[in-house]
Amino acid sequence: MTAVPDPTEPLAGWANTAPTPATVLRPQDVDELAAALDRPSPRGVVARGLGRSYGDPAQNAGGLVALTTGVSGIHHLDLEAGLVTAEAGTSIDALIRWLVPLGWFVPVTPGTRQVTVGGAIASDVHGKNHHKVGSWCDAVEALTIVTPAGGRQQITPASHPDLFWATAGGMGLTGIILDATIRLTRVRTSLLSVDTDRTPDLDTTLDLMESGDHAYDYSVAWIDLMARGAAVGRSILDRGRFADPEQLSDRQRRDPLGFRSGSLATFPDLAPTSLITRTTVRAFNEVWYRKAPRRRRDHLQTISQFFHPLDMVDRWNRVYGPRGLLQWQCAVPPDATDDLRWIVQQISASGQPSFLAVLKRFGPGNAGPLSFPVEGWTLALDVPAGADPDLGQLLDRLDDRVVAAGGRLYLAKDSRLRPELLEAMYPRLDEWRKARDAADPDGRLASDLGRRLGLIG
Ligand SMILES: Cc1cc2nc3c(=O)[nH]c(=O)nc-3n(C[C@H](O)[C@H](O)[C@H](O)COP(=O)(O)OP(=O)(O)OC[C@H]3O[C@@H](n4cnc5c(N)ncnc54)[C@H](O)[C@@H]3O)c2cc1C
């Protein structure tokens, strides 16, 4: 009798560019999640959280994908020490909902709350506070991981430095994370006190960030990549910190730690083509820039307004239509401002319609050989995929400049990097491969990204 193959489902990243079919496992507890590693599959297995990586790290064409979102919840909460132990499929959204009313916040949050604890470790995600506190894994005290070689084990940076740091930013290729203990940040209110500066050009933005970011816990600049001439790189710079109770109005003070959120709307699955065109984005960017205050101080904003404005529209990626989008994010050293200026000028001159472009500063990176953040600047931008035949060449040129500047691209956002550039971008790749080989000598863990970039054999 011929065995009936497992049914497969197409899976894509958030950019929705290259779906591939995989057999999807839906474990409901940590034991079932750990057992995903024992399921036979010639194409291996990879974990998948909420699928918010833009490219293909949580895809595994022809193999197994273990969806972690059924494995979610808090094991242990120490409100004195500010430590939480959560299962790998727990979202940052859920953590924020539970913890903020208790006076604690996640140490780091990306631009969306719809990210799991496992996904945050595997990409070693960063937020608007990297210059102050580093990335997500810097706040991980311990994690439980199952690997083909070692089985289930609890590891800390001190007990298993090689495996711990290879897993931090290791894109799910060292094992399946089952849970993690995370150090939280104390907050006295759920509102942020935000200072805004509207800048006329990139140099003013860079100057303001260089001279002033140290005074703020969080900092991010939105850049108008459609602006030309003297206005290239004009920005809206938002910087802030959690507000003190004294800054709140009487009404706000009645519930200083209240957290309410939800998406305001869901983007309809109707757009037959991308709504993102040069004309619409140029007009949008102009309005967005003009409506920002030139200079505003101590403006109170909610967590959603400051950290996660995109979450207010569920499935906003549909605005790019069926061809999806490309996200490109680089990090370059502190003195690479000429390179940064060149990159911004190139994008601006190309007329690529990019309205989600942000600039942040990174503090020193951590010990993870594949962890993305390195000290300096990081620029992230979205552009529609498949609309402009010159886009690939433009991004290749930008990649080359990033390498020449001693920088790198973010693997969680990538879907198109030339594999030969990887080693130059991540000079400690061999160290990472050694740790991965020790954890997974027979190559059970596999993903589309791992194969595409030659991370795995
Ligand atoms: C709107 C938006 C804004 C964003 N902003 C930022 C930002 O500011 N900073 C930033 O750093 N990132 C940002 N990201 C990227 C996002 O934070 C990362 O891609 C993150 O890894 C997504 O988590 P996820 O749970 O969706 O994981 P997935 O996308 O499902 O998977 C990502 C990786 O994690 C691995 N993984 C997931 N769970 C496990 C597990 N249990 N064990 C082992 N490996 C696992 C997967 O194999 C894969 O390699 C943003 C993404 C979006 C869509």
Side-chain angles (χ1 to χ4, degrees):
M1 205 171 82
T2 333
V4 180
D6 284 326
T8 60
E9 296 172 33
L11 292 175
W14 188 247
N16 202 21
T17 43
T20 55
T23 300
V24 180
L25 310 175
R26 293 187 164 77
Q28 293 303 308
D29 59 40
V30 282
D31 294 334
E32 286 181 20
L33 180 57
L37 216 46
D38 303 328
R39 281 275 296 254
S41 161
R43 298 275 286 175
V45 58
V46 76
R48 179 182 176 97
L50 279 158
R52 266 17 183 225
S53 293
Y54 280 80
D56 50 1
Q59 295 172 222
N60 186 19
L64 303 174
V65 172
L67 210 58
T68 66
T69 45
V71 184
S72 132
I74 287 184
H75 279 184
H76 184 74
L77 181 58
D78 181 339
L79 286 176
E80 289 299 311
L83 286 173
V84 65
T85 304
E87 291 182 345
T90 312
S91 66
I92 288 184
D93 179 62
L95 289 178
I96 288 176
R97 283 170 199 279
W98 288 325
L99 297 172
V100 168
L102 301 172
W104 293 98
F105 191 61
V106 288
V108 165
T109 175
T112 171
R113 289 194 299 276
Q114 302 307 328
V115 162
T116 62
V117 165
I121 294 171
S123 297
D124 193 15
V125 299
H126 58 271
K128 299 173 172 55
N129 55 350
H130 192 278
H131 64 292
K132 284 283 177 157
V133 305
S135 47
W136 181 266
C137 292
D138 293 315
V140 174
E141 296 250 314
L143 57 88
T144 311
I145 187 168
V146 57
T147 69
R152 195 187 297 206
Q153 48 194 321
Q154 208 204 35
I155 64 172
T156 69
S159 72
H160 298 73
D162 294 348
L163 180 57
F164 183 93
W165 288 112
T167 300
M171 305 314 294
L173 295 170
T174 58
I176 299 181
I177 299 154
L178 303 178
D179 65 43
T181 300
I182 300 140
R183 249 188 338 270
L184 301 166
T185 300
R186 170 73 86 187
V187 289
R188 295 165 70 209
T189 75
S190 61
L191 294 174
L192 287 112
S193 171
V194 181
D195 291 353
T196 299
D197 292 279
R198 197 171 82 179
T199 72
D201 53 38
L202 185 66
D203 284 348
T204 311
T205 313
L206 298 180
D207 285 350
L208 275 178
M209 292 175 84
E210 260 173 344
S211 61
D213 271 10
H214 63 272
Y216 295 91
D217 292 339
Y218 302 98
S219 166
V220 64
W222 169 84
I223 302 200
D224 178 2
L225 285 182
M226 303 295 286
R228 298 226 170 147
V232 165
R234 66 183 183 178
S235 310
I236 301 166
L237 176 59
D238 283 323
R239 297 184 287 189
R241 56 186 74 81
F242 275 94
D244 294 330
E246 302 72 52
Q247 292 179 268
L248 272 48
S249 67
D250 288 346
R251 190 178 58 78
Q252 289 164 331
R253 239 176 272 173
R254 273 183 235 134
D255 185 16
L257 289 165
F259 176 75
R260 279 162 296 278
S261 179
S263 57
L264 299 178
T266 296
F267 198 89
D269 190 15
L270 292 175
T273 57
S274 173
L275 300 180
I276 304 294
T277 64
R278 281 175 198 203
T279 318
T280 54
V281 173
R282 202 178 292 284
F284 173 86
N285 283 12
E286 186 64 34
V287 172
W288 194 252
Y289 180 79
R290 296 265 162 236
K291 90 172 191 22
R294 244 178 242 284
R295 187 176 188 279
R296 184 172 64 190
R297 292 294 176 263
D298 298 324
H299 180 65
L300 292 181
Q301 293 189 358
T302 64
I303 286 170
S304 300
Q305 285 167 334
F306 185 71
F307 291 110
H308 315 115
L310 289 169
D311 284 351
M312 292 188 204
V313 181
D314 198 23
R315 304 293 315 186
W316 61 261
N317 54 348
R318 288 178 177 163
V319 74
Y320 286 90
R323 283 171 161 174
L325 68 141
L326 283 181
Q327 161 96 193
W328 185 88
Q329 181 167 2
C330 71
V332 293
D335 57 359
T337 44
D338 284 348
D339 303 282
L340 205 53
R341 201 174 295 110
W342 182 87
I343 290 168
V344 169
Q345 278 162 352
Q346 291 290 306
I347 301 162
S348 161
S350 75
Q352 289 292 336
S354 180
F355 79 101
L356 288 174
V358 295
L359 180 69
K360 291 182 276 208
R361 277 173 71 80
F362 277 160
N366 62 26
L370 276 196
S371 171
F372 167 65
V374 278
E375 186 160 14
W377 304 93
T378 182
L379 174 70
L381 57 101
D382 284 4
V383 283
D388 181 345
D390 296 333
L391 178 63
Q393 278 178 9
L394 169 70
L395 296 179
D396 283 352
R397 282 203 308 280
L398 302 190
D399 294 350
D400 290 335
R401 182 76 180 224
V402 168
V403 169
R408 69 228 340 227
L409 292 202
Y410 189 14
L411 300 185
K413 306 264 182 109
D414 176 61
S415 53
R416 43 147 300 278
L417 178 65
R418 284 165 291 157
E420 61 268 26
L421 298 187
L422 193 65
E423 198 123 17
M425 290 185 171
Y426 290 90
R428 291 169 59 214
L429 197 54
D430 279 349
E431 212 180 300
W432 179 82
R433 284 206 176 100
K434 222 167 118 199
R436 166 182 151 86
D437 289 347
D440 182 20
D442 299 325
R444 285 280 301 140
L445 292 147
S447 68
D448 288 0
L449 173 126
R451 280 184 287 266
R452 177 170 61 80
L453 291 180
L455 281 168
I456 55 176

